Amino acid sequence: MKTLFMLLLFCHVASTVKHSLKYVLTATSGVTNIPEFVGFGMVNEVQMGYCDSNSKNPEPKQDWMRDLLKDNPQHMEWYVQMCLSEQQFFSANLDDLKQRLNQTGGAHILQRMNGCEWDDETGEVIGFHQYGYDGEDFIVLDLQTLTWTAPRQQAFSTKLRWDADKASLEYEKHYFNHECPHWLKTYVHCGRSSLQRTDLPSVSLLQKTPSSPVSCHATGFYPDRAMMYWRKDGEEHHEDVDHGEILPNHDGSFQISVDLILSSVAPEDWRRYDCVFHLSGVEDDIVTKLDKAQIRTNWVSPSEFPAGVTGVVVGLLLLLALCIAGLFIWRRNNNGE
């Protein structure tokens, strides 16, 4: 499966049962207008820290994280050292990859995603550690066998070298089984007031023109563990439906839309359809009936324009036609001289 290699502002939240601590580190070569190294730290997909090669020092992104680092200066120092050492590690490995693959120019991206998930009901902990290069998975650590897997042939030599480093593998095992879940539980406890809140959205029916699909749009919900779908006669409906992605709002909440194409729906059947929004951890769904009177649109038919407005438009069109005709006559007369 392809790995997404883009610098994103991660603001999503995992479920109320499973929690995650994730670090996404990215080094670039030949990419302008961004630092050569960028690192994000996320708890339940909410960005809690950031560092890059320009600013040098890590920057907490949540109030609870600022408080935690203020009370634990040793932990802050750990992040400072990690930010510096990872910059050096990524820079050296990116240069090595470019030489090994005979890539003398162009834009190249090396990225790592590592961390752990913790189920607070079962206590299960799952670690993950993987690298990607230029938009594809490159090498992945199997924590069960403590061996590296190379999805790409170009990574096979790296796999052999890293498999032979038994001390590093033992450190990885200890980190993902003990240190990572310890800090994840600490972060979840410190940030519980914001990480585990739920906000319901406002839901609207939107339509550009009478022939456009009707969009059921929900905005302002939190966390992003949500789904929305159309129903027909109480059953989930998939035909002529287009599902949108969950997108972040500027205030940290989320929005989503799901469109229903009405070309095959008879007017008398509209009452059979409704839109359902479900937020994880919330018992009651938000159900919105497909009702023409509730659809919001900016479209106005020509027949609905006021007579005065119509007259002005017609007058302007006639004036434009006269101007164009006059221009052609002027050019013809000048060409004839």
Side-chain angles (χ1 to χ4, degrees):
M1 185 178 69
K2 299 285 186 181
T3 303
L4 179 62
F5 294 91
M6 297 178 65
L7 299 179
L8 300 176
L9 179 63
F10 294 98
C11 298
H12 299 174
V13 171
S15 70
T16 56
V17 174
K18 288 188 177 181
H19 306 281
S20 65
L21 173 60
K22 184 184 300 181
Y23 297 98
V24 178
L25 309 178
T26 303
T28 60
S29 174
V31 181
T32 59
N33 301 322
I34 61 172
E36 293 183 349
F37 174 82
V38 173
F40 293 103
M42 293 162 287
V43 179
N44 289 1
E45 302 295 345
V46 175
Q47 185 184 358
M48 54 87 172
Y50 169 89
C51 79
D52 63 41
S53 52
N54 291 343
S55 61
K56 305 297 182 182
N57 290 324
E59 177 186 353
K61 291 294 186 178
Q62 304 293 329
D63 289 340
W64 58 265
M65 189 62 179
R66 293 186 186 94
D67 294 339
L68 179 109
L69 294 177
K70 183 179 179 180
D71 295 337
N72 296 268
Q74 312 94 319
H75 197 44
M76 180 63 181
E77 182 60 27
W78 180 83
Y79 272 112
V80 171
Q81 294 301 321
M82 287 300 296
C83 186
L84 178 61
S85 63
E86 294 293 359
Q87 289 181 45
Q88 298 169 347
F89 174 83
F90 269 76
S91 178
N93 279 274
L94 183 54
D95 289 341
D96 178 68
L97 277 173
K98 289 166 57 181
Q99 292 178 11
R100 196 190 318 166
L101 301 178
N102 196 27
Q103 297 171 331
T104 57
H108 300 284
I109 301 175
L110 174 64
Q111 190 172 56
R112 184 179 80 201
M113 182 174 68
N114 66 289
C116 55
E117 293 183 347
W118 162 55
D119 190 317
D120 65 7
E121 286 191 346
T122 66
E124 181 185 19
V125 174
I126 300 175
F128 50 89
H129 192 177
Q130 62 191 73
Y131 289 83
Y133 185 64
D134 285 351
E136 295 184 350
D137 290 338
F138 188 75
I139 192 167
V140 181
L141 177 61
D142 185 337
L143 287 167
Q144 299 299 318
T145 62
L146 279 185
T147 57
W148 291 91
T149 302
R152 295 174 60 177
Q153 181 64 32
Q154 296 92 330
F156 190 70
S157 61
T158 302
K159 165 190 162 52
L160 295 178
R161 188 168 69 253
W162 288 4
D163 278 350
D165 191 348
K166 300 302 182 182
S168 293
L169 289 172
E170 284 300 322
Y171 169 78
E172 301 283 4
K173 179 180 179 181
H174 174 77
Y175 175 78
F176 289 111
N177 288 337
H178 300 284
E179 290 188 38
C180 186
H182 164 73
W183 285 111
L184 171 55
K185 295 172 185 178
T186 301
Y187 295 151
V188 169
H189 175 75
C190 293
R192 61 190 180 280
S193 60
S194 61
L195 293 173
Q196 297 179 311
R197 79 177 197 269
T198 55
D199 296 336
L200 292 175
S202 60
V203 180
S204 305
L205 298 178
L206 309 174
Q207 190 178 33
K208 293 181 179 179
T209 71
S211 60
S212 301
V214 170
S215 178
C216 186
H217 180 253
T219 185
F221 61 90
Y222 188 97
D224 73 339
R225 302 295 292 182
M227 60 181 179
M228 191 160 66
Y229 55 92
W230 283 98
R231 291 190 312 196
K232 180 181 180 182
D233 297 330
E235 299 291 333
E236 189 168 347
H237 182 70
H238 300 284
E239 186 178 354
D240 295 327
V241 171
D242 184 16
H243 292 272
E245 297 181 356
I246 295 179
L247 302 173
N249 291 322
H250 70 280
D251 61 356
S253 65
F254 300 92
Q255 61 173 294
I256 187 175
S257 295
V258 57
D259 295 347
L260 174 65
I261 300 174
L262 293 173
S263 57
S264 59
V265 180
E268 60 270 20
D269 289 336
W270 278 35
R271 58 183 177 80
R272 301 169 61 186
Y273 292 83
D274 53 41
C275 171
V276 179
F277 174 88
H278 173 77
L279 185 64
S280 179
V282 177
E283 183 176 353
D284 296 329
D285 296 333
I286 299 177
V287 179
T288 306
K289 299 290 293 184
L290 179 59
D291 183 351
K292 188 173 184 179
Q294 300 301 318
I295 296 177
R296 297 163 57 185
T297 181
N298 292 327
W299 185 82
V300 179
S301 66
S303 61
E304 294 176 344
F305 277 110
V309 174
T310 304
V312 170
V313 173
V314 173
L316 290 174
L317 291 175
L318 288 174
L319 179 60
L320 178 61
L322 289 173
C323 290
I324 294 173
L327 179 62
F328 278 115
I329 294 173
W330 179 81
R331 285 184 174 176
R332 185 182 62 185
N333 291 339
N334 283 341
N335 290 337
E337 291 180 357

